[in-house]
Amino acid sequence: MPLPSVTRSLSAKLLVLTVLFVLLAEVLIYTPSIARYRLTYLEERLAAAHLAALSVEATPDMMVAMELQNELLAHVGAHAVELIRPDSRVYMLSRSMPPTVDAVFDLRAAMAPRLTADAFMALAQRRDRVIRVIGPSPKDPAFQVDMVMDERPMIQAMVDFSGRILALSVAISLIAAVLVFVSLTRLLVRPMRRLTEGLVAIRRDPDGTPPFQPSARTDEIGVAERELADMQATIRSALRQRERLAALGTAVAKINHDLRAILSTAALLSERLAESADPEVRRVTPRLMASIDRAVELCGQTMTYTRDGLLPLARTTVPLRSLVEEAGTTALAALRPDVVRPDGERVELRWNNRVPEGLTVRADAAQLSRALVNLGRNAAQAGAGAVTVMVETRPGGGLLLLVSDDGPGLPPRARDNLFQPFAGSARAGGVGLGLAIAREVLRAHGGDLRLVESTAAGTVFALELPPGIVVEEAGRVGEMPTSDSPIPD
């Protein structure tokens, strides 16, 4: 898979996002700023109007000539001014013919949301309005100023302010974007690109790619680089081991084929020994036959394990009780009928099916039966007198099959190497493939196999099946009759 182009790379996205976020921050800053600018503009006009109105008090007869009034109002930028003192005296300045007022703004009780809305409404105006502004004087809040003025000069001042803010925002966003882009490119993007190139190279040629050299960084990037180097070394080791195991498996398969032919011949000859007139030969013949059977079983399990790989599942709808019953029959039929206790008495092993009728699941019947057969045969070969299968339903449609026996329990060596092929056998001469294969079957279904307990009173395994496997559930666990299937003679 090729690396992305420059325009679609992480660096380009980072640059664009940085610019957009800085501009968004400037917009959020601009909103209260423009409202504050308009309020300040009006307050300055109110302060100027206050000073202009006080000129009336300086005249001898409290009258100002019209020419002076027009000059004072032009200085303030208003058509009329009314100043109300705390003692209720009023000073007025007005043109001879003041225009009609289009809108009134009272600053005495205006809150921030209202001021912001008025500011944006002013910017959206397309006609020249005359507004009346009422508010306390910034020079002395005890005075109230009532002023009539044109709105257009204020709007023009707000537009000029917005232009300065926009220019400043663009400059800040570009400078911030460049600084953030350069910093993050050096700290994150380049190391990430190096990691990506390393991963792509390892995927293309896991064994021929030069070893990835991690940097001396101690942050998360450094940890990722060291983990990638370790992963590459692990993959190389696994590939070499797989090649060796593949060659070994091919050799074992060939040897296994010839060995099974030899054992088949030995089995045929051993059956004739049972008809010998020599009592000693007849006595040791069953032991010889059992040894040959174990050798054939070892060859068969080894071939099955090496041939399977990933288990393909052919899911069908199957009654669980019938599946367990057939698995028990298969497991018990494969055992020799001459199993005896240490005291010499024959043991009659039984398969107790306690799965209720009406419980239907969607699973690979052959594979799931194979897992149950392996557990049953392991229990019987370990010396169990009975194997019991029970079921528990879980929320979401999951199932828990409990396979218990009354055997002597697993020895410490078997527990330490549980589910490990060729290492976890509980009996002498075993290969430990039964549990390994059973676990693979359960994991292929999305579940798992785990050991619940193993004591002198017996061993319990749990076959966990995932939610959604139950198709139909009728009856309740524990209410159905038990089916006890003895080993056929």
Side-chain angles (χ1 to χ4, degrees):
M1 180 178 179
L3 294 176
S5 61
V6 175
T7 56
R8 300 179 60 185
S9 65
L10 184 61
S11 302
K13 294 178 181 178
L14 181 62
L15 179 61
V16 173
L17 288 176
T18 303
V19 173
L20 291 178
F21 290 153
V22 172
L23 289 177
L24 177 61
E26 293 295 338
V27 169
L28 296 177
I29 294 173
Y30 170 77
T31 300
S33 298
I34 192 64
R36 182 63 188 174
Y37 181 84
R38 176 179 176 274
L39 178 61
T40 302
Y41 182 93
L42 294 176
E43 287 178 343
E44 290 177 353
R45 301 282 80 76
L46 292 176
H50 182 185
L51 295 177
L54 288 178
S55 62
V56 178
E57 189 176 15
T59 60
D61 53 357
M62 305 292 290
M63 294 294 293
V64 180
M66 184 57 67
E67 183 179 352
L68 180 58
Q69 287 192 53
N70 291 336
E71 188 175 346
L72 291 172
L73 290 173
H75 177 73
V76 175
H79 296 287
V81 173
E82 183 178 293
L83 178 64
I84 304 174
R85 293 175 60 96
D87 55 7
S88 299
R89 283 185 293 176
V90 179
Y91 302 99
M92 295 184 60
L93 292 173
S94 177
R95 298 185 187 275
S96 57
M97 292 293 293
T100 303
V101 175
D102 298 312
V104 178
F105 298 99
D106 191 345
L107 304 183
R108 292 172 294 182
M111 303 298 291
R114 184 61 190 175
L115 292 172
T116 303
D118 290 341
F120 283 98
M121 288 177 62
L123 289 173
Q125 284 296 324
R126 292 295 178 264
R127 64 188 183 93
D128 296 335
R129 295 192 306 177
V130 176
I131 61 174
R132 179 186 175 192
V133 182
I134 305 171
S137 172
K139 299 296 183 181
D140 188 348
F143 288 80
Q144 178 179 308
V145 181
D146 191 334
M147 177 180 61
V148 178
M149 58 177 284
D150 291 327
E151 190 181 31
R152 179 54 55 188
M154 182 186 68
I155 295 176
Q156 187 59 47
M158 294 172 63
V159 171
D160 294 340
F161 173 77
S162 301
R164 294 193 298 270
I165 289 291
L166 177 60
L168 182 62
S169 300
V170 172
I172 292 176
S173 63
L174 291 178
I175 294 173
V178 170
L179 293 177
V180 172
F181 174 76
V182 171
S183 300
L184 293 184
T185 298
R186 292 178 62 87
L187 292 175
L188 295 177
V189 176
R190 287 182 182 175
M192 288 294 295
R193 184 182 295 121
R194 183 167 173 262
L195 283 172
T196 304
E197 291 172 352
L199 287 171
V200 172
I202 292 173
R203 184 190 66 81
R204 289 175 177 172
D205 189 2
D207 198 27
T209 304
F212 184 85
Q213 298 297 330
S215 64
R217 296 177 59 162
T218 58
D219 55 8
E220 290 81 358
I221 295 293
V223 173
E225 290 176 342
R226 287 187 289 276
E227 290 296 326
L228 177 59
D230 293 342
M231 183 187 71
Q232 183 183 20
T234 302
I235 291 175
R236 286 187 170 184
S237 177
L239 288 174
R240 294 190 183 100
Q241 185 177 11
R242 188 183 68 175
E243 291 176 358
R244 296 192 184 106
L245 289 177
L248 180 61
T250 302
V252 169
K254 294 178 179 179
I255 296 172
N256 197 8
H257 180 271
D258 295 338
L259 184 59
R260 294 190 65 169
I262 296 172
L263 291 174
S264 298
T265 303
L268 292 175
L269 295 176
S270 299
E271 290 178 358
R272 294 187 178 183
L273 292 178
E275 302 173 358
S276 173
D278 189 340
E280 181 64 20
V281 172
R282 290 199 304 270
R283 186 181 67 82
V284 300
T285 296
R287 191 175 302 171
L288 176 61
M289 292 290 293
S291 299
I292 294 175
D293 287 344
R294 285 197 300 270
V296 173
E297 179 187 355
L298 170 61
C299 293
Q301 288 187 348
T302 302
M303 286 296 295
T304 300
Y305 184 77
T306 56
R307 182 179 62 247
D308 279 346
L310 293 176
L311 293 176
L313 297 183
R315 296 179 184 266
T316 57
T317 301
V318 56
L320 187 59
R321 181 175 175 83
S322 300
L323 186 149
V324 173
E325 190 72 24
E326 292 176 5
T329 302
T330 303
L332 299 177
L335 298 174
R336 296 184 62 83
D338 54 356
V339 179
V340 294
R341 295 192 181 97
D343 58 7
E345 295 185 6
R346 184 175 181 275
V347 177
E348 183 178 355
L349 299 179
R350 306 187 70 83
W351 182 270
N352 302 324
N353 183 3
R354 295 184 180 175
V355 176
E357 295 280 3
L359 187 58
T360 304
V361 298
R362 183 165 181 80
D364 189 318
Q367 296 289 1
L368 192 55
S369 175
R370 178 185 180 188
L372 291 170
V373 168
N374 287 350
L375 290 173
R377 291 174 63 185
N378 282 358
Q381 291 170 352
V387 177
T388 303
V389 182
M390 298 181 294
V391 65
E392 295 180 6
T393 57
R394 294 297 178 90
L399 280 181
L400 191 67
L401 278 174
L402 297 175
V403 180
S404 59
D405 62 62
D406 59 354
L410 296 173
R413 178 180 176 275
R415 296 185 192 181
D416 295 339
N417 299 283
L418 204 61
F419 308 120
Q420 295 297 320
F422 306 103
S425 177
R427 62 186 176 88
V431 292
L433 287 176
L435 289 179
I437 294 174
R439 192 179 208 184
E440 285 189 359
V441 170
L442 268 296
R443 288 185 170 179
H445 280 83
D448 203 356
L449 174 65
R450 60 183 176 86
L451 175 66
V452 177
E453 64 176 1
S454 182
T455 64
T459 301
V460 180
F461 282 96
L463 288 74
E464 299 176 349
L465 293 169
I469 197 169
V470 177
V471 177
E472 182 180 356
E473 183 179 356
R476 288 182 293 178
V477 175
E479 293 186 354
M480 301 305 299
T482 299
S483 172
D484 298 332
S485 302
I487 296 179
D489 293 330

